[in-house]
DNA sequence: ATAAAACTTGACGTTCCGTCACTTTTTATT
DNA sequence: AATAAAAAGTGACGGAACGTCAAGTTTTAT
């Protein structure tokens, strides 16, 4: 019996191209998580595949570009869920809570995906704001602005509020992952309460 | 008349050692800000001094170590002010507001110092949690815990609250620096209100 | 003044980079 | 099925940056 092959809908060429790209990304993800971004080399990545060094450059220009592709892949995976969650939100609290839950949930489920930007013992922590990721931040900001104009939220500085939510998400997410059993619900509740209480105070500075 | 020299308190040797170290750090700071961390090389750094390449390695093992030294220098500069400010705080709000003000003030005053970890259009953002910096975070957490045990603050998860404050500080600070005229006071008020309102909500989940 | 110690220097072997002429594989054509 | 054209893969190669070290220079100690 012949080797069973994937149907190869549109040519063998296209198929291997997709496979090679995936292989490089997978290798990169594992080696970045292992050695950290700074110390891994393009050769380290390619050595984890059965491709030649030259082939790497048919797919990416540099390790920086592979890293960007990995981050974009993360963003592409989460963004639709974030968008959908917020689209269904009927209150500002739904919006914020949903955002944190989707994000923390993804972190906990797919630890490896974000392992790269966790701080490896006194080593360098690296983060890249790719167009996809920036777009995700912008969407949050737009949704916050919309919540304000819809009257779900008192007027506040949406840029700073977005920044605050993003900073909290990454930093609290990091601490959440530091424990072996990630307490997603606890992190969601904490972050949400902080923001929700915060906006009350922001729009009403003389409360308790 | 002889060339005027610095008193050289303790030998010429020690003096040049200090000078060379400073020269390397200054060169590194400027070149990192210019090229970003990823693309600068040890040679780029040493080329900005009048030292030879080999000399670099008498002072640092790698560019990573220079970077760490720069971050440590930042932390060493801010930490005393943070500590003093919080020591004088009589309320939890004083504590938080003082922390943000000292931090944002330092960012605005010494832009260059933190320029490296600002996001340069699609480039990699790098952050290093050096022992000095981690110590700074820990001090904040300890002070928060102390505020709780002193009854200035209802019991909350101090680790997450610290993470939230740190994340907000970096991310809001980044947006603050994005404007050419840094609005320190606005950023302080915003971040402080968010935290203060947040802790009210955290310890009293059924408020507004 | 002289010797020892400390530090600086740049040339050297090594590793990784990015490219390119060549080979292999796939697709299109007859 | 055979053959030509196109596409993609390969690894050797020159170049750049690395980290080291033997030799040279400056400072300190005697």
């Amino acid at each position: 019996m012949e080797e069973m092959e994937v149907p190869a809908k549109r040519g063998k060429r296209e198929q291997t191209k997709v496979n090679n790209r995936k292989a490089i990304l997978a290798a990169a993800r594992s080696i970045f998580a292992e050695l950290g971004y700074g110390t891994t080399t393009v050769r380290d990545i390619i050595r984890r595949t059965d491709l030649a060094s030259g082939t790497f450059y048919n797919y990416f220009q540099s390790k920086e570009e592979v890293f960007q592709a990995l981050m974009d892949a993360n963003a592409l995976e989460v963004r639709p869920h974030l968008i959908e969650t917020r689209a269904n939100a009927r209150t500002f609290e739904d919006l914020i809570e949903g955002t944190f839950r989707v994000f923390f949930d993804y972190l906990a489920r797919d630890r490896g995906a974000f392992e790269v930007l966790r701080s490896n013992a006194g080593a360098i922590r690296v983060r890249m704001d790719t167009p996809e990721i920036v777009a995700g931040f912008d969407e949050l900001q737009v949704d916050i602005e919309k919540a304000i104009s819809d009257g779900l939220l008192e007027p506040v500085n949406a840029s700073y509020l977005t920044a605050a939510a993003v900073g909290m998400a990454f930093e609290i997410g990091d601490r959440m992952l530091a424990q072996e059993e990630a307490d997603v619900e606890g992190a969601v509740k904490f972050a949400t309460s902080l923001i929700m209480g915060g906006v009350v105070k922001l729009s009403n500075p003389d409360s308790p």
Side-chain angles (χ1 to χ4, degrees), chain A:
Chain A
M1 176 180 168
E2 280 290 313
E3 191 70 48
M4 187 72 122
E5 301 244 345
V6 183
K9 280 190 176 180
R10 206 57 191 185
K12 202 163 192 168
R13 195 128 258 166
E14 265 175 86
Q15 192 55 43
T16 46
K17 241 163 94 170
V18 170
N19 288 343
N20 286 350
R21 190 165 204 278
K22 274 188 193 165
I24 292 174
L25 287 173
R29 179 160 287 176
S30 82
I31 197 92
F32 278 147
E34 230 170 82
L35 307 184
Y37 176 82
T39 50
T40 88
T41 71
V42 169
R43 253 69 177 182
D44 289 333
I45 298 171
I46 210 67
R47 226 174 277 131
R48 290 236 167 151
T49 71
D50 50 2
L51 301 170
S53 64
T55 306
F56 176 90
Y57 295 96
N58 289 341
Y59 292 86
F60 301 98
Q61 303 247 20
S62 60
K63 75 166 170 171
E64 183 161 327
E65 209 177 280
V66 195
F67 186 73
Q68 166 159 356
L70 284 176
M71 292 300 108
D72 276 350
N74 288 342
L76 275 169
E77 165 124 17
V78 200
R79 271 176 63 203
H81 299 143
L82 289 170
I83 290 171
E84 194 203 347
T85 298
R86 291 202 297 259
N88 295 332
R90 308 194 70 90
T91 65
F92 180 67
E93 180 156 6
D94 283 353
L95 188 157
I96 288 297
E97 184 170 341
T99 298
F100 282 128
R101 179 166 290 111
V102 167
F103 185 74
F104 290 147
D105 224 53
Y106 183 60
L107 283 189
R109 181 170 294 113
D110 204 353
R111 270 169 182 269
F114 281 82
E115 203 83 331
V116 196
L117 39 78
R118 295 222 36 244
S119 52
N120 309 341
I124 263 170
R125 196 197 297 204
V126 113
R127 182 172 134 197
M128 189 178 221
D129 289 341
T130 69
E132 284 294 331
I133 291 175
V134 171
F137 294 168
D138 286 350
E139 284 157 10
L140 174 57
Q141 182 164 339
V142 166
D143 284 348
I144 287 175
E145 281 160 357
K146 186 165 178 304
I148 292 173
S149 64
D150 286 354
L152 299 180
L153 171 64
E154 298 293 310
V156 298
N157 185 325
S159 171
Y160 278 174
L161 188 58
T162 305
V166 167
M168 283 170 51
F170 277 92
E171 213 68 24
I172 291 179
D174 188 58
R175 300 223 179 188
M176 181 187 80
L177 291 182
Q179 343 235 169
E180 58 237 65
E181 195 68 33
D183 172 23
V184 171
E185 219 34 54
V188 170
K189 286 278 179 268
F190 188 95
T192 304
S193 295
L194 207 54
I195 293 277
M196 292 312 297
V199 297
V200 169
K201 177 87 173 181
L202 275 171
S203 51
N204 181 7
D206 303 324
S207 53

